[in-house]
Amino acid sequence: MADGVFSRAFKGTVRPIELGRRLIREMDEHRSVDVKGRRTVPNEFTVWLSPTDHAGFADIDETLITELREAAREYARDEGYHFVGPIVVELAVDNALKAGRFGISSQTKESPGGIGAGGLVVPSGERIALTEATTSMGRAQDCTIVLNDLNVSRRHAEVKPLGTGFVLYDLGSTNGTKLNGVRLDGSRPLKDGDVITLGATQIRFEAS
């Protein structure tokens, strides 16, 4: 949290790092254990700010929301927490709050269809959220993730939801697909932190 927007100057009286710390404490306080024995935590958060502080974050609100989501995701990975749906953060105004005061409310909300949260992080750093639809990867322009890599086939690989997780499939690519450095033979369930290699391109899977 010491990096990025958490260390920037801002106009309000609430520091961004305070929001980050309170958000992960919200996760700790509302964790529970599901039927599979996994520790699940809230994935949707509303940050309540005074009108003054909300206006003070106006210039960095999108960046702040992105970094609060990343802080939640990294903390969940470190603590072994699980989300049942995508992480959502909203900044809202509470007119009853004085400047410098804030609150955070949270809820646990499943993804449509009950699939787990997941995403693919491409080399640019962009995170592609996984859904019930198939996520295709390759050089073809109609792929979900288009890769400008001559060592990648037009339709190289794809990720599909299965149960509460996701599975990686090689589509008979010329140069093959590697998972954590090992050539994939058909398909393999994905685990948090897995690295998918297509040609010279690496894509990281995030289960949180």
Side-chain angles (χ1 to χ4, degrees), residues 5-6 16 19 23 45 47 54 57 60-73 87-92:
V5 71
F6 291 114
L19 301 180
L23 187 145
F45 304 89
V47 180
H54 189 272
F57 287 126
I60 61 168
D61 57 346
E62 291 185 9
T63 304
L64 175 59
I65 287 171
T66 297
E67 295 200 17
L68 286 172
R69 286 200 305 257
E70 289 302 312
R73 186 174 294 116
I87 303 170
V88 177
V89 177
E90 177 187 6
L91 303 183

Side-chain angles (χ1 to χ4, degrees), residues 79-126:
E79 296 297 315
Y81 292 160
H82 290 264
F83 298 110
V84 299
I87 303 170
V88 177
V89 177
E90 177 187 6
L91 303 183
V93 174
D94 184 342
N95 290 313
L97 288 173
K98 296 181 180 180
R101 305 297 296 272
F102 67 93
I104 295 182
S105 58
S106 63
Q107 63 176 332
T108 300
K109 188 173 181 180
E110 286 189 349
S111 300
I115 61 172
L120 297 174
V121 181
V122 297
S124 66
E126 180 184 4

Side-chain angles (χ1 to χ4, degrees), residues 119-176:
L120 297 174
V121 181
V122 297
S124 66
E126 180 184 4
R127 187 177 190 272
I128 310 299
L130 296 173
T131 66
E132 289 183 293
T134 296
T135 301
S136 55
M137 298 170 282
R139 287 189 295 109
Q141 292 302 305
D142 60 349
C143 286
T144 311
I145 300 177
V146 179
L147 301 173
N148 185 22
D149 184 337
L150 295 178
N151 293 309
V152 172
S153 298
R154 285 181 53 77
R155 300 186 186 285
H156 197 109
E158 62 187 19
V159 174
K160 292 182 178 181
L162 181 65
T164 58
F166 296 91
V167 178
L168 172 66
Y169 297 84
D170 180 75
L171 300 177
S173 60
T174 302
N175 294 316

Side-chain angles (χ1 to χ4, degrees), residues 23-31 41-42 75 79 81:
L23 187 145
I24 62 176
R25 190 161 73 246
E26 182 79 6
M27 294 165 61
D28 285 335
E29 292 175 352
H30 293 88
R31 64 178 181 257
V41 290
Y75 186 69
E79 296 297 315
Y81 292 160

